[in-house]
Amino acid sequence: MRDTLKRLCLAPGVSGFESTAAGTAVELLERFCPEIGIDALGNICGIRRCGREGAKRLLLDAHIDEIGLIVSGHEKGGFLRFLPVGGVDLRVLPASEVTVLAAEPLFGVIGCMPPHVQTREEAEKPVSEGELFIDTGLSLENARKKVPVGTPVCLNSRFVEMNGTVFCKALDDRAGVAAILRTMEIIADEEISVDIIVQISVQEELGTRGAKTGAYSARPDMAVAIDVGHAETPDASKDVFELGGGVMIGVGPSLCRDMTDRLRELASEKGIKHQLEVMGGDNGTNAWPIQVSRAGVKTALLSLPLRYMHTPCEAVSLDDIESAAVLLAGFILKIPAQEGGEGHA
């Protein structure tokens, strides 16, 4: 699990520019899915068929894209202007290290004004988008040649594991991708009653775009999306969950009650650590558009507690990923043969 996460997280995959990370995911997925394709948006679609005629389709979805930046201009001295891609927290950007994903990738830092030369007002003022620039050490002339406008930029991060907790960028949602890969490993030699479609989707951070088109194309009868939720920290006590407390099972009106109940019952029956995440409306994940694809899809949501979301140093528990995979694998293996056999012609 650790090695899989490391490969996934360290691969650049800014939303809309996911090809490198997607290539890594394909390499990891192809041992479990004999059929793999990539659609027009870049979604990965892997299929493992059960061998039963007219079997129903179960979609497993997690997104591969990460937040990042995009170069929007050049300034005197070779500094690069940029815009955020996805929900970037501007507070963490000053002095951050980045990789400018030009034809020849470049190291860069996001410059910040030293405290010695700031006024009190400047020191207390929130960071604004237009005040930050990327410094690659290039002259203005070379910056224009080597870094054209529209070049994506990835936040840099090390991959560190401490006592079963992993710290890195892009764990939202490469941890979900890892959970699906682990699920497919657990059931690799098991008989199944549904065709499984593994969708590793793109552009979730830009409005769940990949899931919308991918689910329309896949035409699933059932779906389980895996994403991340907020883990508790000393300064956050509302709507947060325990890191290491187990997979979060989504409960709410936008999710299929039958599937949710079966996941809850299975987790209790098997002693799988889990937590309940109650959502009154939009769950903010790919489960939201998948459930209304075409004529509707029975959809469930599993989430992984994550600290420091949308920063270069997110944190997730390896045990929580394993609990999600074990629960999802058990759910798949308990789908009755008669339920799995009334799908598409």
Side-chain angles (χ1 to χ4, degrees):
M1 182 75 72
R2 179 189 59 211
D3 294 341
T4 295
L5 271 177
K6 185 174 183 178
R7 288 190 62 190
L8 289 169
C9 289
L10 293 182
V14 176
S15 197
F17 303 91
E18 299 95 343
S19 59
T20 300
T24 299
V26 167
E27 291 178 15
L28 293 166
L29 181 62
E30 58 188 1
R31 58 187 278 226
F32 306 119
C33 294
E35 304 172 46
I36 294 184
I38 298 179
D39 69 13
L41 260 69
N43 294 310
I44 299 167
C45 178
I47 302 175
R48 179 190 164 189
R49 300 187 187 276
C50 66
R52 302 173 68 248
E53 185 176 354
K56 285 192 175 180
R57 297 171 178 166
L58 170 64
L59 178 69
L60 307 180
D61 173 272
H63 70 89
I64 192 73
D65 60 311
E66 63 186 285
I67 60 164
L69 313 170
I70 187 169
V71 175
S72 60
H74 306 83
E75 292 293 327
K76 182 173 64 175
F79 295 96
L80 306 177
R81 280 193 178 277
F82 62 85
L83 295 173
V85 178
V88 178
D89 187 346
L90 296 178
R91 298 173 304 168
V92 305
L93 291 185
S96 291
E97 299 179 0
V98 299
T99 298
V100 181
L101 299 168
E104 295 182 10
L106 300 168
F107 173 84
V109 294
I110 297 178
C112 60
M113 187 184 296
H116 312 71
V117 295
Q118 292 182 31
T119 64
R120 180 183 296 274
E121 291 74 20
E122 289 171 333
E124 295 176 351
K125 186 178 66 173
V127 176
S128 65
E129 189 177 297
E131 296 175 334
L132 298 175
F133 304 90
I134 298 171
D135 185 356
T136 63
L138 294 173
S139 66
L140 177 58
E141 181 181 2
N142 283 331
R144 284 175 172 163
K145 288 180 180 178
K146 296 186 176 184
V147 188
V149 168
T151 299
V153 178
C154 185
L155 303 177
N156 283 3
S157 175
R158 292 189 302 149
F159 183 94
V160 178
E161 184 205 343
M162 293 190 297
N163 301 314
T165 298
V166 165
F167 299 83
C168 197
K169 70 172 183 67
L171 285 164
D172 173 12
D173 185 34
R174 312 280 168 85
V177 175
I180 290 178
L181 291 168
R182 175 63 178 141
T183 299
M184 298 301 290
E185 181 179 42
I186 293 171
I187 65 172
D189 298 320
E190 301 287 346
E191 183 176 344
I192 56 176
S193 60
V194 291
D195 291 341
I196 297 176
I197 302 169
V198 175
Q199 177 173 280
I200 300 177
S201 52
V202 297
Q203 297 193 34
E204 189 270 353
E205 302 293 356
L206 299 180
T208 64
R209 294 178 181 178
K212 292 173 184 175
T213 60
Y216 188 93
S217 176
R219 299 172 63 216
D221 300 284
M222 300 173 284
V224 180
I226 302 186
D227 210 316
V228 295
H230 297 288
E232 63 183 356
T233 55
D235 57 344
S237 58
K238 183 181 178 182
D239 299 325
V240 293
F241 297 83
E242 180 187 354
L243 189 76
V247 59
M248 299 152 57
I249 301 174
V251 180
S254 65
L255 301 169
C256 174
R257 183 170 180 178
D258 175 62
M259 292 178 68
T260 299
D261 288 346
R262 286 155 67 179
L263 286 165
R264 294 175 63 176
E265 291 165 6
L266 181 61
S268 297
E269 174 190 329
K270 298 295 184 182
I272 300 169
K273 291 181 71 173
H274 63 286
Q275 308 172 74
L276 300 181
E277 181 182 19
V278 179
M279 293 162 287
D282 186 348
N283 52 61
T285 73
N286 282 344
W288 185 248
I290 289 172
Q291 60 145 350
V292 293
S293 178
R294 289 186 179 266
V297 180
K298 294 180 178 180
T299 303
L301 173 63
L302 299 178
S303 300
L304 303 165
L306 180 91
R307 289 178 184 156
Y308 323 125
M309 192 179 295
H310 285 196
T311 74
C313 194
E314 297 173 334
V316 72
S317 164
L318 293 176
D319 287 343
D320 290 340
I321 299 175
E322 181 70 11
S323 71
V326 170
L327 178 59
L328 183 54
F331 174 83
I332 293 169
L333 295 177
K334 288 196 73 170
I335 296 175
Q338 63 270 23
E339 181 179 342
E342 301 174 358
H344 302 267

